[in-house]
Amino acid sequence: MTAFGPQIIIALIAGLLLGLLAKNMGTVGDGEPNWLTTTLTTIGTSYVSLLKAAVVPLIFTAVVSSIANLREVSNAARLAWQTLLWFAITALIAVVIGILLGVIMQPGANADAEPPAEYQGGTGSWMGFLTGLIPANFLGLTASTSIAESGAASTAMNFNVLQVLVIAIAVGIAALKVGKPAAPFLALNASALAVIQKVLWWIIRLAPLGTVGLIGRAVATYGWDTIGSLGMFAIAIYVGLAIVLFVVYPVLIKAHGLSIRQWFSGAWPAIQLAFVSRSSVGTLPLTQRVTERNLGVPRAYASFAVPLGATTKMDGCASIYPAISAIFVAQFFGIELGFTDYLLIALVSVLGSAATAGTTGAVVMLTLTLSTLGLPLAGVGLLLAIDPILDMGRTAVNVAGQTVVPAIVAKRNGLLDLPMYNAKRNGDPFADDSGEVAAEVTGAVEATVPATAQAR
């Protein structure tokens, strides 16, 4: 059986070829997509829907479990602060790269595109971000109603991932404070997490099929014409992403005495899946798996750092992208940016990363940046034309960063399993872990029972 990595590469090539074929087939008589485009779209959107369906239970159980597991690590508070510090450091490096590329490459100065209409979608604001952290209900559930031109109204239910994160953190800390009475709850939570992760493994195994649909749909729907109208902008984004992925992260890895090749080979399965799924949270189980088994980060720490990173560590979506996008919009509309504006871009990128919430797309972060700078939100509508193409690269960088920081922090604190980090890769991230499930459940119980009670 072909390994997971080659399966994704084969699927990428197949999706590209089918997308080009669908693009050349054109539309049917009434302007509707042809059957191949529709099929690719259905496959791609169905796969993303499957990933999204598991997001809420995964985030809740993973974060509660991670807080319980963190108690098993000495100097847990120091590890948490160092993790957040390195999140901020790498985000700052990424946003500086984005600003420099925007200034040097001038992506909006000669953009071959029509001025967009006023953006009508949702926008981000600091007050909205802060108030959005307060859960409206235990599930973090929100409802939105839209009215079509025909007058028909439709209501959609959505989960606020940030609110779910806040709820899970509160529940996890409360469970530790309660102590022994919370042991059954944490054991149940650990069991639920194991079941959810198993379901997600089944979904992730379908990634090659989802890749064909997602890549094929992107090529068939947007093609090279759309990308060409914003060519310099797209190039600037991918140059920035490439610098962070292939220069910044390797330099940090090497600076801590670790092998760059081993990091790439260990993290690559998660980076590949992130590229095609466009979801850091959807990739979370695989990201945590490679961080623990390939990079040698202890489970007790990785189970805290990786889920936290999946919702807040966004060097692609929250640093490179909003920096270059804000400069593009300013250049497109002929607005001069000063030194203070560039400082604001950096501040928003470092502090507002959590606003992207680990789901597909970075529109909230972009509108938050533009609003802070007072730039026209109409620019968002223009950039949305190629957002799916850019989001693949952004998410891959996000997930890469979510593996780098735990490895660095673990190495700095003497926790990294170096023999495991330097071991030969077998290329199979789906090895059976049934034996580890029992260990996790047992650990969850023991984490809340005082040593004296256990001795009895």
Side-chain angles (χ1 to χ4, degrees):
M1 181 178 177
T2 307
F4 181 72
Q7 288 180 15
I8 294 292
I9 295 175
I10 293 171
L12 282 169
I13 297 173
L16 176 63
L17 296 176
L18 289 173
L20 291 173
L21 177 59
K23 183 71 174 176
N24 291 331
M25 289 171 63
T27 58
V28 295
D30 55 357
E32 293 295 319
N34 59 63
W35 68 269
L36 182 54
T37 302
T38 302
T39 301
L40 292 171
T41 300
T42 302
I43 294 173
T45 55
S46 297
Y47 182 72
V48 173
S49 296
L50 285 174
L51 284 175
K52 287 183 176 181
V55 163
V56 173
L58 174 66
I59 287 295
F60 181 84
T61 55
V63 171
V64 171
S65 181
S66 70
I67 293 174
N69 290 339
L70 193 60
R71 186 173 175 175
E72 302 173 17
V73 183
S74 59
N75 299 318
R78 186 177 69 181
L79 283 175
W81 281 114
Q82 286 190 15
T83 302
L84 294 174
L85 177 62
W86 277 98
F87 281 178
I89 290 173
T90 52
L92 182 60
I93 294 173
V95 74
V96 169
I97 291 173
I99 291 173
L100 291 175
L101 287 174
V103 172
I104 294 171
M105 298 183 68
Q106 300 282 304
N110 299 300
D112 182 19
E114 294 294 325
E118 186 62 32
Y119 176 61
Q120 299 297 324
T123 59
S125 67
W126 285 109
M127 186 57 66
F129 169 64
L130 294 175
T131 56
L133 292 174
I134 303 174
N137 51 71
F138 185 76
L139 298 176
L141 190 64
T142 59
S144 59
T145 302
S146 59
I147 301 178
E149 295 181 359
S150 61
S154 60
T155 301
M157 305 298 291
N158 298 292
F159 289 96
N160 187 314
V161 177
L162 283 176
Q163 292 184 7
V164 175
L165 179 65
V166 171
I167 294 168
I169 291 174
V171 171
I173 294 175
L176 290 184
K177 293 294 184 180
V178 168
K180 185 177 180 180
F185 167 75
L186 289 178
L188 175 62
N189 181 82
S191 297
L193 175 59
V195 172
I196 294 165
Q197 286 183 323
K198 177 60 69 174
V199 173
L200 264 167
W201 283 129
W202 295 340
I203 297 174
I204 290 173
R205 284 178 182 271
L206 297 175
L209 181 61
T211 299
V212 173
L214 290 167
I215 298 299
R217 174 189 178 239
V219 175
T221 303
Y222 302 100
W224 305 117
D225 296 336
T226 304
I227 299 176
S229 64
L230 298 169
M232 187 56 69
F233 172 71
I235 291 173
I237 292 292
Y238 268 95
V239 168
L241 296 174
I243 291 175
V244 172
L245 180 59
F246 297 110
V247 178
V248 175
Y249 291 160
V251 166
L252 292 175
I253 289 292
K254 191 66 176 178
H256 286 83
L258 299 173
S259 166
I260 296 174
R261 180 178 179 180
Q262 286 297 103
W263 171 70
F264 268 119
S265 64
W268 197 250
I271 295 173
Q272 282 184 317
L273 180 61
F275 182 82
V276 298
S277 69
R278 297 170 49 213
S279 174
S280 295
V281 172
T283 312
L284 171 58
L286 186 55
T287 308
Q288 185 166 334
R289 177 65 59 89
V290 300
T291 302
E292 294 174 5
R293 293 191 173 183
N294 291 352
L295 303 184
V297 178
R299 168 168 296 182
Y301 170 56
S303 63
F304 163 79
V306 177
L308 180 65
T311 52
T312 61
K313 176 61 179 162
M314 306 286 166
D315 288 344
C317 291
S319 296
I320 291 288
Y321 179 70
I324 296 178
S325 298
I327 295 173
F328 171 88
V329 171
Q331 293 170 352
F332 186 84
F333 287 97
I335 300 172
E336 190 74 24
L337 295 179
F339 182 72
T340 303
D341 296 311
Y342 295 125
L343 287 180
L344 281 174
I345 292 175
L347 180 65
V348 173
S349 298
V350 173
L351 298 182
S353 297
T356 53
T359 54
T360 56
V363 176
V364 172
M365 190 64 196
L366 175 56
T367 59
L368 182 63
T369 305
L370 296 181
S371 299
T372 302
L373 296 175
L375 294 174
L377 291 179
V380 179
L382 175 63
L383 300 182
L384 283 177
I386 60 171
D387 189 72
I389 302 293
L390 304 179
D391 197 32
M392 294 186 291
R394 293 191 311 239
T395 310
V397 170
N398 292 344
V399 168
Q402 293 158 18
T403 67
V404 165
V405 170
I408 288 176
V409 174
K411 177 64 165 59
R412 293 174 66 89
N413 287 272
L415 299 174
L416 195 68
D417 187 336
L418 289 175
M420 183 179 292
Y421 183 95
N422 293 314
K424 184 179 179 180
R425 313 299 183 204
N426 61 14
D428 180 18
F430 303 107
D432 180 62
D433 60 346
S434 57
E436 296 175 2
V437 172
E440 286 184 0
V441 175
T442 302
V445 176
E446 294 176 347
T448 57
V449 181
T452 55
Q454 293 178 30
R456 299 193 192 105

